[in-house]
Amino acid sequence: MSYRSTLLGCGKYAPKRVMTNDEIALAVDTSDEWIFTRTGIRRRHIAAPEETTTSLAIEAARDALASASINGGEIDLTIVATSTPDYGFPASACLVQDAVGAHGGAFDLEAACSGFVYALALADSMIRIGSVRNALIIGSELYSRVLNWQDRSTCILFGDGAGAVVLSRAAQPGPLPRFTLGSDGSGGPLLTMYNGGVPEPSNATPGGVRMNGPETFKFGVRILVDVTEQVLRDEGLSTCDVDWLVPHQANQRIITAATKRLGFADERVLSNIEEYGNTSAASIPLALAECVERGEVLPGHRVLTVGFGAGLTWAGGLLTWRT
Ligand code: UT7
């Protein structure tokens, strides 16, 4: 017996404190005009001192459970996709599981900005084989504490936030979700975050995220096109069959260049990078949750999520909303 999964609920949490581009320009040599025209970002949300990746994840998880109208006790798998966990262990997912009263397995998954879609793929396969009925999948990140705030090439890009979905066994027959996952470790040096596991290069600027921006940009455009085309090809669908494309929010210029090439209508491509910046594994569920909150995602809608980032990694997932 094989089962089918569907998205049942979606939630989000963004820290209250907003940091504008002008505020960053007080500390490093940049401007609102440069940041906005090169990235589409105007603001990002920054966690308060008492907030953590786990506390953000718990808020988003509660919001997703309310959206799905189910109790935490009905969850039998919890995954937190994050590159900025509170601890090496315990996993943030275990702390979230306890906070919402969930059961079953709980673990963190690290695949950088692709982590949320990787987690969806894993949860879907466990639902298919019947070992999980309701999975709580969260992307949560707290980049503001790991960035080098003196490095204008990276500190302008990232923000804090969390998004979550409930992925559940569907009651009715319908289309199966489709996933594709990929990685290419030879591109690892393009985007790194040191955490003490290897000696830092002696000529490195201290701390934080290091990125070859232009090469990562080219990769982002190419992979967003390739993954979208592959998922559509595998399913025998065209762009018109997708109600919402939810790309990773890395740079508005990446989203615009790729979706233009794909021929997606702007109004079906979700983008909230102006408000949040790049929230890595949280960016896809955060964008989807806003669309759900506006009442625009309707039962039966097809949602195509595409993540890409450090690793290099990439992942596409085509799912349905409440079918
Ligand atoms: O989520 C993971 C995936 N991440 C991404 O996909 C990010 C991909 N990359 C990007 O989004 C872009 O490469 C950036 C936004 C990071 C940079 O934009 P760019 O158009 O690629 O700029 P660049 O790195 O080629 O730099 C152009 C110029 C340089 O000055 P010179 O050498 O031309 O004089 C930089 O020093 O812009 C300068 N620059 C800045 N100027 C003002 C770099 N950062 C800044 C800044 N403010 N914040």
Side-chain angles (χ1 to χ4, degrees):
M1 179 81 182
S2 169
Y3 299 94
R4 187 175 71 84
S5 75
T6 189
L7 290 164
L8 200 64
C10 190
K12 68 171 178 40
Y13 177 77
K16 303 284 168 289
R17 158 127 163 69
V18 169
M19 183 185 281
T20 62
N21 291 342
D22 284 332
E23 203 177 332
I24 295 184
L26 295 174
V28 289
D29 183 13
T30 189
S31 65
D32 175 52
E33 204 256 334
W34 193 96
I35 299 171
F36 185 68
T37 50
R38 300 285 180 128
T39 69
I41 300 167
R42 284 271 190 220
R43 294 169 287 278
R44 69 284 296 141
H45 291 240
I46 303 292
E50 68 278 10
E51 289 183 311
T52 66
T53 291
T54 301
S55 74
L56 269 50
I58 290 169
E59 296 294 335
R62 290 189 172 134
D63 198 29
L65 289 169
S67 154
S69 300
I70 67 168
N71 297 316
E74 295 172 75
I75 296 291
D76 45 11
L77 174 69
T78 305
I79 310 177
V80 174
T82 185
S83 303
T84 53
D86 301 0
Y87 307 103
F89 53 81
S92 294
C94 298
L95 307 177
V96 173
Q97 186 195 46
D98 179 51
V100 303
H103 303 286
F107 58 92
D108 289 356
L109 187 154
E110 200 286 292
C113 305
S114 312
F116 179 76
V117 185
Y118 267 61
L120 281 178
L122 202 57
D124 170 66
S125 61
M126 293 184 77
I127 290 171
R128 271 183 207 224
I129 60 171
S131 59
V132 165
R133 190 176 277 268
N134 296 301
L136 180 57
I137 314 297
I138 305 156
S140 186
E141 301 282 13
L142 209 155
Y143 268 76
S144 64
R145 289 199 196 134
V146 299
L147 290 170
N148 173 0
W149 286 97
Q150 306 306 313
D151 177 7
R152 68 177 184 173
S153 68
T154 54
C155 75
I156 57 150
L157 295 171
F158 295 91
D160 303 335
V165 298
V166 175
L167 189 73
S168 296
R169 182 190 292 181
Q172 312 293 335
L176 284 171
R178 166 74 72 168
F179 289 96
T180 179
L181 308 184
S183 76
D184 174 10
S186 73
L190 289 182
L191 188 46
T192 57
M193 183 167 71
Y194 284 88
N195 69 358
V198 292
E200 298 213 15
S202 55
N203 61 349
T205 49
V209 173
R210 288 167 206 144
M211 179 171 65
N212 179 331
E215 286 306 315
T216 312
F217 186 99
K218 282 186 245 165
F219 157 72
V221 176
R222 176 175 57 77
I223 209 71
L224 182 46
V225 172
D226 287 355
V227 169
T228 304
E229 284 180 342
Q230 188 187 328
V231 172
L232 293 177
R233 198 168 48 240
D234 289 348
E235 284 296 291
L237 299 175
S238 76
T239 52
C240 310
D241 300 312
V242 173
D243 296 286
W244 303 105
L245 176 67
V246 199
H248 169 49
Q249 311 282 305
N251 185 318
Q252 185 57 47
R253 286 163 52 225
I254 293 179
I255 297 174
T256 304
T259 54
K260 204 168 155 211
R261 215 175 283 177
L262 287 160
F264 258 100
D266 288 350
E267 58 275 16
R268 290 188 294 115
V269 179
L270 300 190
S271 169
N272 62 3
I273 191 166
E274 180 171 346
E275 177 64 29
Y276 298 103
N278 179 347
T279 56
S280 193
S283 85
I284 288 173
L286 199 46
L288 181 62
E290 288 197 318
C291 192
V292 167
E293 214 170 72
R294 291 193 297 270
E296 292 172 0
V297 186
L298 303 175
H301 273 184
R302 278 202 179 98
V303 178
L304 177 52
T305 57
V306 183
F308 56 87
L312 300 169
T313 56
W314 56 91
L318 180 67
L319 302 105
T320 56
W321 178 255
R322 292 183 186 162
T323 53

